[in-house]
Amino acid sequence: MEFGLKKRARHEVKVEVASLETKYPHNVMMYHYPPTEDVHIDEFEELALERLRLLRVLDRASTRNLRVLSDEWKEIVSADLTREGLRSYLRLCSNGGSGKHEADIQTRRRDYLSHFILRLAYCRSEDLARWFVAREMELFRYKFAALSSAEVKQFLESNGFEIHPLTEDQKDEVKDGLYESTAGQSVAKIELLDFYKVPFTQVLDLVRGRRCFLKAGYAYVNTHDLVSLVGTKQQDEIEQGLQAAKTMVDDVEADDRISRTLKALHNSYTGRDYTICRDAAVPIESLDQLSKTSMPLCMRICHEHIRANHHIKHTGRMQYGLFLKGIGVTLEDSLRFWREEFTKKMDADKFTRSYEYNIYHNYGKKGSMVNYTPYSCAKIIKDVAGPGDCHGCPYKNMDQGSLKSKLSSYGLSASAIEEVMFFVSRGHYQIGCGKYFQLTHNSPVEPSINHPNNYFEESQMAMGNRQKRANGSAPPKARIRPDIKGHGDRSMLMGDDDDELWRIAETQERIMQSQKDISEAFNDDLDLTQIDY
RNA sequence: GGCGGC
DNA sequence: GCCGCCAACATA
Ligand code: SF4
């Protein structure tokens, strides 16, 4: 692939439609030939982010645990695409075929290029690649499903598949078998369907599911099921492409702007459309950053443990999960976050079965609909962690030695560490925590910490990201509900749509920006092993 | 992780 | 083996 990075004037980016049409004759294409066109770096970045948004729409849909291509799935996806301003892709995916409108053809080009761009970003690890391939295949199936019989035929021809639909005569010979093996279709429908005769080895999943007629080593596959064959081909194509991309990635990354784009891509915040009153929730893409700048030790440790091990034990999930809710991570993002991590060590199904419920429950969306308050320091300090655990208050739980080295690995100078340890060794964990805050934010005063979420907010405030909580969104109006079981405190019940409890007041850009500022400043200090205090 | 249900 | 339900509580 040659992404020549010539600086071009913007208006030249629109390549001649005529030549595009021959290049991209069809909405659905095999991603086989790497693009040879030169792409300006601005467009390169734009395309990368655009496809990321596209794939994340699909990801969100599968997070909801819907069957791909089910009506409900399509509904969600198309709503989400519209919301993301990706209508053009919606057309690409639902209008099937080979329209001749200029806009559609431009979209095909973007589709094609952006796919190849993301290959560069997603070839760098197994995990990323797996995610990428899964989303791409969902996209492919989505597009393919919109094709009519004629369009499928055309697709096969223009992509060098040597298969042709049965002629009427051929179809006649096997029609009994077809009737029998085509579930849920009336005879009349079957008459109209195209069928393809292919070696059964190419559609093993259909064979396994008894979804096609078999005869003499050949499977008879109808137009719709053909996606099985074509899809496998496409998947090979992409997987091989990722392999190939690995070898050329160094080359492309010679340009450091590209290199930065690509590396930052998979956890970059794609700027959700907040028009729908979802303003200023904390996107999970910024958690890595936040864990370094604004989370207290206990939470940062959880976060890093999760990222490293793709798992965390139950009490840790409670502690960190509720904390995340408290800082403004939405339910959807929470689900996505845990899922993305855990799914690296278990299949999606297992995750859904054993963890999803609890996340909903923590957000007050299941059972008695109680919306739980995140753990306080007192609580966290109380429950001591066992061997495999990483929850609890590190100041309390860790032995002095490992605590010290942890602090130093987080950039504290020797003298700063001593200052923290002074309190810790006396059992004043929260004060030590406050000291750590003061040192890392180089703040004039040391705040008294008694709640991790308080620490977080204090930190955001120090960075100028969050204002004092607006009066309007103060803690929930207690809506008392009769105490059903005669025990427990149910005073914090919340209405279904009372979700956005605590939020950040400023825009996303500012948050990201000053986090960067802080961590850069912090890193400078780090090199000098001395922090001003 | 606990409790509970089949 | 499958599943549902629970825990919490700072706070200006
Ligand atoms: S003092 Fe509170 S906030 Fe700080 S680490 Fe311990 S539990 Fe977390």
Side-chain angles (χ1 to χ4, degrees):
Chain A
M1 171 169 24
E2 316 161 22
F3 282 116
L5 294 159
K6 304 219 175 111
K7 311 286 181 197
R8 288 184 171 210
R10 268 234 144 176
H11 62 270
E12 278 179 296
V13 163
K14 285 211 170 182
V15 184
E16 287 302 314
V17 183
S19 75
L20 278 183
E21 203 178 318
T22 49
K23 241 177 178 169
Y24 309 112
H26 209 272
N27 277 353
V28 188
M29 289 170 294
M30 300 300 286
Y31 297 122
H32 179 67
Y33 301 105
T36 51
E37 166 183 348
D38 289 338
V39 175
H40 180 67
I41 184 160
D42 289 336
E43 198 190 17
F44 182 93
E45 289 180 345
E46 188 185 317
L47 287 170
L49 285 171
E50 182 175 278
R51 195 170 199 86
L52 187 53
R53 267 156 60 219
L54 175 59
L55 297 185
R56 280 189 182 159
V57 166
L58 299 173
D59 189 50
R60 252 169 269 156
S62 46
T63 305
R64 298 242 200 150
N65 203 21
L66 302 172
R67 194 166 45 82
V68 177
L69 294 181
S70 65
D71 290 345
E72 209 181 344
W73 183 91
K74 284 183 187 164
E75 217 169 279
I76 302 241
V77 168
S78 80
D80 217 1
L81 284 176
T82 313
R83 196 147 39 90
E84 288 281 356
L86 296 171
R87 256 228 172 73
S88 53
Y89 284 95
L90 185 57
R91 285 178 59 91
L92 204 70
C93 292
S94 45
N95 287 357
S98 43
K100 293 267 186 284
H101 291 301
E102 163 163 8
D104 290 333
I105 294 169
Q106 291 289 357
T107 308
R108 281 182 211 157
R109 168 177 170 274
R110 300 174 76 79
D111 172 35
Y112 204 80
L113 292 179
S114 65
H115 167 82
F116 278 88
I117 291 174
L118 279 217
R119 279 187 184 181
L120 294 169
Y122 281 80
C123 65
R124 67 184 67 251
S125 88
E126 282 298 306
D127 289 338
L128 291 177
R130 201 175 334 136
W131 182 88
F132 178 68
V133 172
R135 289 328 126 219
E136 283 290 342
M137 289 314 295
E138 286 164 7
L139 179 61
F140 179 75
R141 300 178 111 251
Y142 189 21
K143 284 192 288 190
F144 195 86
L147 300 182
S148 68
S149 298
E151 288 164 343
V152 168
K153 210 189 313 180
Q154 190 193 339
F155 166 87
L156 293 172
E157 277 161 21
S158 58
N159 286 283
F161 285 91
E162 299 281 320
I163 36 181
H164 307 283
L166 300 187
T167 62
E168 284 308 316
D169 292 345
Q170 292 167 322
K171 201 167 158 184
D172 232 33
E173 284 174 33
V174 290
K175 69 171 190 289
D176 291 338
L178 297 184
Y179 292 152
E180 211 171 303
S181 60
T182 311
Q185 296 286 12
S186 65
V187 172
K189 279 265 179 56
I190 292 175
E191 296 291 350
L192 294 174
L193 273 179
D194 277 343
F195 280 85
Y196 295 80
K197 176 181 171 185
V198 302
F200 81 99
T201 48
Q202 295 184 18
V203 287
L204 288 175
D205 55 325
L206 293 180
V207 175
R208 219 175 297 122
R210 296 169 203 282
R211 314 208 337 118
C212 59
F213 175 53
L214 282 177
K215 189 180 171 192
Y218 283 92
Y220 293 78
V221 180
N222 72 50
T223 299
H224 304 303
D225 289 339
L226 207 60
V227 70
S228 154
L229 177 148
V230 180
T232 348
K233 181 82 189 305
Q234 178 77 308
Q235 184 161 342
D236 290 350
E237 205 73 77
I238 296 175
E239 279 163 352
Q240 284 171 29
L242 286 168
Q243 286 305 114
K246 251 190 257 180
T247 66
M248 69 180 66
V249 84
D250 294 328
D251 230 18
V252 180
E253 286 189 355
D255 181 309
D256 66 305
R257 181 164 161 201
I258 296 204
S259 142
R260 266 182 290 121
T261 308
L262 291 178
K263 283 183 180 139
L265 197 63
H266 83 281
N267 45 12
S268 76
Y269 174 53
T270 47
R272 192 165 308 165
D273 180 0
Y274 282 132
T275 51
I276 310 181
C277 167
R278 172 197 251 248
D279 55 339
V282 171
I284 59 174
E285 283 75 16
S286 64
L287 288 180
D288 286 332
Q289 187 80 279
L290 287 169
S291 71
K292 289 181 215 161
T293 60
S294 295
M295 292 187 193
L297 234 50
C298 55
M299 298 305 171
R300 179 171 178 183
I301 286 174
C302 287
H303 183 79
E304 288 173 353
H305 180 96
I306 294 166
R307 285 278 193 243
N309 302 295
H310 316 303
H311 195 274
I312 183 175
K313 308 244 270 183
H314 178 265
T315 333
R317 282 188 317 260
M318 277 283 124
Q319 174 181 307
Y320 191 55
L322 287 169
F323 170 78
L324 288 182
K325 181 184 67 170
I327 69 176
V329 175
T330 64
L331 171 59
E332 290 73 21
D333 268 13
S334 250
L335 288 164
R336 196 153 62 83
F337 171 73
W338 294 106
R339 202 177 100 94
E340 270 168 11
E341 284 302 336
F342 280 36
T343 268
K344 291 174 181 169
K345 298 210 97 176
M346 70 184 70
D347 54 327
D349 215 53
K350 164 84 178 155
F351 172 80
T352 308
R353 255 182 288 115
S354 27
Y355 299 100
E356 234 160 48
Y357 181 93
N358 296 279
I359 301 173
Y360 282 106
H361 191 265
N362 274 161
Y363 273 76
K365 296 298 184 200
K366 283 278 195 270
S368 56
M369 312 289 262
V370 177
N371 190 21
Y372 296 92
T373 310
Y375 290 173
S376 68
C377 288
K379 158 82 176 162
I380 293 174
I381 292 175
K382 252 187 285 177
D383 41 28
V384 282
D389 287 327
C390 67
H391 64 263
C393 178
Y395 299 107
K396 160 85 180 288
N397 286 331
M398 296 175 74
D399 63 86
Q400 309 245 327
S402 25
L403 179 55
K404 280 185 185 174
S405 58
K406 171 110 319 189
L407 288 173
S408 118
S409 79
Y410 286 173
L412 286 208
S413 69
S415 55
I417 294 176
E418 279 321 305
E419 239 187 308
V420 174
M421 294 309 288
F422 174 83
F423 294 106
V424 172
S425 59
R426 254 152 266 242
H428 297 141
Y429 312 119
Q430 286 162 260
I431 305 186
C433 186
K435 201 74 205 167
Y436 175 83
F437 179 104
Q438 182 186 13
L439 292 164
T440 52
H441 291 74
N442 55 47
S443 124
V445 294
E446 53 158 295
S448 64
I449 305 299
N450 42 32
H451 199 293
N453 289 89
N454 169 38
Y455 183 111
F456 180 86
E457 286 173 16
E458 212 62 62
S459 163
Q460 289 291 293
M461 220 115 86
M463 294 186 286
N465 289 328
R466 190 184 283 221
Q467 259 118 50
K468 298 253 174 189
R469 195 178 304 292
N471 311 345
S473 57
K477 301 258 172 354
R479 195 172 83 191
I480 312 291
R481 183 195 252 207
D483 188 351
I484 305 164
K485 289 177 191 158
H487 64 79
D489 181 357
R490 297 279 149 90
S491 60
M492 295 283 273
L493 293 168
M494 306 200 14
D496 283 337
D497 27 29
D498 237 350
D499 262 339
E500 330 284 28
L501 182 44
W502 305 353
R503 30 180 84 152
I504 296 185
E506 292 289 322
T507 65
Q508 202 49 47
E509 265 96 25
R510 281 197 62 197
I511 295 182
M512 299 295 265
Q513 190 42 48
S514 65
Q515 267 153 26
K516 247 172 245 150
D517 291 345
I518 281 245
S519 65
E520 269 157 27
F522 192 56
N523 284 337
D524 290 346
D525 289 342
L526 213 154
D527 285 323
L528 302 171
T529 40
Q530 49 189 333
I531 294 175
D532 276 293
Y533 60 88

